[in-house]
Amino acid sequence: MTIPTGKARLAALQIGSRATTAETLEALMARRDELKAATPDLLVLPEALLGGYPKGADFGVRLGYRTPAGRDAFRRYWEQAIDLDGPEVLALGDLAADLGCTMIVGAIVRDGATLYCTALHFDPDGRLAGHRRKLMPTAAERLVWGMGDGSDVRAFPSPVGTIGAVICWENFMPALRFALYEQGVTIWAAPTVDERPQWEIAMRHIAHEGRFFLVSACQWLGPKQTALGEPITLIDRAADVPIIGGGSIIVSPMGEVLAGPLRGGEGLLVAEVDLADIVRARFDFDAAGHYARPDIFRLDVTRPSR
């Protein structure tokens, strides 16, 4: 496997979903000049940015039954999701081409009536080079999102290296991490809505374990905002606390924080890095190389026949 060398500019845009996907896309495009001025080689955007992350919503679900109001809430959420051949993807591709960078974007993607939390991968020429679905939606996310399958255990080549785009708590799945390590990942993109201090700890550990650069972009949503445009009060915190508090971060292959964590609002993080640091870091620990011990351990990934 080839490990790139040379300089690269890695960026994370901390931004929150608006009340509708159209408004979110408009807010993203309004930052075009700022993004161009940053000249990123890789730009990572948060989980579920297009389509939204309706934190605090219960969709009317109680064990054993669903309510008509909850079904209608899901219908509204489904309407804000995007299609892989839809205009939003074309607009994102145009943005990637204008920036001339690889772009990882979190989106809620429709497949019939089922929704998938998805990471979209755009090449610098604006082509949608691939996508992967979140393998395991967390807790109540399973009410509204389907699960990915073995075809989603894949990394993407890019001009800045092989990218593993791993969504939120997928990052805590050891087998998934190693399956991607074996594919030669050199940059780890982690779109998320996890705002907790523990997330920084996890990101620093994963970067240090995989000995790669890591870029995590988190949403930021102020108090009393939701992606559904309906006010939700989180019962375990004060009314003036953000719904999603950010914490985007860029980390080195030795687990050192290069930029962030960003708190208190939306913003852009950028770090100029030396990709040769990946080789330097793997001198004494290479998770999929001399530390893998394939004579003892083997990981089999079940992939669909389709």
Side-chain angles (χ1 to χ4, degrees):
M1 61 187 69
T2 301
I3 297 177
T5 57
K7 305 293 185 180
R9 290 175 63 79
L10 310 179
L13 179 61
Q14 181 162 293
I15 185 172
S17 302
R18 281 21 181 195
T20 67
T21 294
E23 292 173 75
T24 302
L25 195 59
E26 182 180 0
L28 174 60
M29 296 307 168
R31 305 190 80 118
R32 185 186 295 258
D33 289 345
E34 175 191 9
L35 296 172
K36 287 185 73 171
T39 63
D41 297 297
L42 170 67
L43 175 64
V44 180
L45 279 67
E47 176 184 18
L49 178 63
L50 296 187
Y53 188 86
K55 185 171 180 177
D58 61 18
F59 292 90
V61 172
R62 301 294 183 272
L63 190 63
Y65 74 95
R66 271 67 60 193
T67 65
R71 293 182 185 277
D72 205 41
F74 177 76
R75 188 264 307 166
R76 292 193 298 272
Y77 188 44
W78 179 88
E79 288 175 346
Q80 297 307 316
I82 68 172
D83 299 306
L84 288 178
D85 59 355
E88 299 86 359
V89 171
L90 292 176
L92 291 170
D94 177 73
L95 178 62
D98 193 23
L99 301 178
C101 76
T102 300
M103 203 162 71
I104 304 295
V105 184
I108 305 303
V109 176
R110 282 187 294 246
D111 187 353
T114 299
L115 304 180
Y116 293 93
C117 184
T118 305
L120 307 175
H121 178 112
F122 293 89
D123 279 349
D125 63 3
R127 181 176 65 96
L128 178 61
H131 69 280
R132 59 172 308 274
R133 294 168 171 173
K134 192 173 187 178
L135 282 178
M136 194 64 190
T138 300
E141 292 172 356
R142 295 193 283 275
L143 297 173
V144 289
W145 297 344
M147 299 181 186
D149 59 31
S151 65
D152 295 308
V153 183
R154 56 179 301 221
F156 301 97
S158 84
V160 291
T162 302
I163 298 175
V166 185
I167 307 167
C168 206
W169 278 24
E170 283 189 312
N171 282 272
F172 301 150
M173 300 173 71
L176 173 60
R177 292 206 308 270
F178 189 71
L180 293 175
Y181 295 170
E182 287 190 311
Q183 295 178 42
V185 169
T186 54
I187 297 181
W188 196 264
T192 190
V193 295
D194 193 334
E195 62 181 355
R196 302 170 307 147
Q198 295 95 319
W199 185 254
E200 176 185 347
I201 296 168
M203 295 298 95
R204 295 184 67 179
H205 165 75
I206 291 169
H208 195 222
E209 177 182 77
R211 302 296 168 109
F212 39 53
F213 289 99
L214 183 149
V215 183
S216 179
C218 186
Q219 287 206 40
W220 190 90
L221 287 178
K224 300 182 180 179
Q225 287 181 275
T226 86
L228 292 177
E230 299 171 2
I232 290 177
T233 300
L234 301 183
I235 62 175
D236 61 346
R237 63 192 68 185
D240 60 350
V241 173
I243 298 293
I244 303 175
S248 300
I249 193 168
I250 303 175
V251 187
S252 82
M254 294 301 289
E256 299 156 336
V257 176
L258 302 177
L262 179 60
R263 302 285 182 187
E266 297 184 339
L268 180 67
L269 295 179
V270 181
E272 184 164 339
V273 304
D274 182 358
L275 296 174
D277 283 347
I278 297 165
V279 176
R280 296 184 182 104
R282 292 182 183 180
F283 164 61
D284 54 358
F285 186 89
D286 187 354
H290 61 258
Y291 251 80
R293 293 303 305 271
D295 56 320
I296 301 173
F297 305 110
R298 184 181 66 198
L299 176 64
D300 293 324
V301 179
T302 301
R303 299 184 185 277
S305 57
R306 59 178 172 83

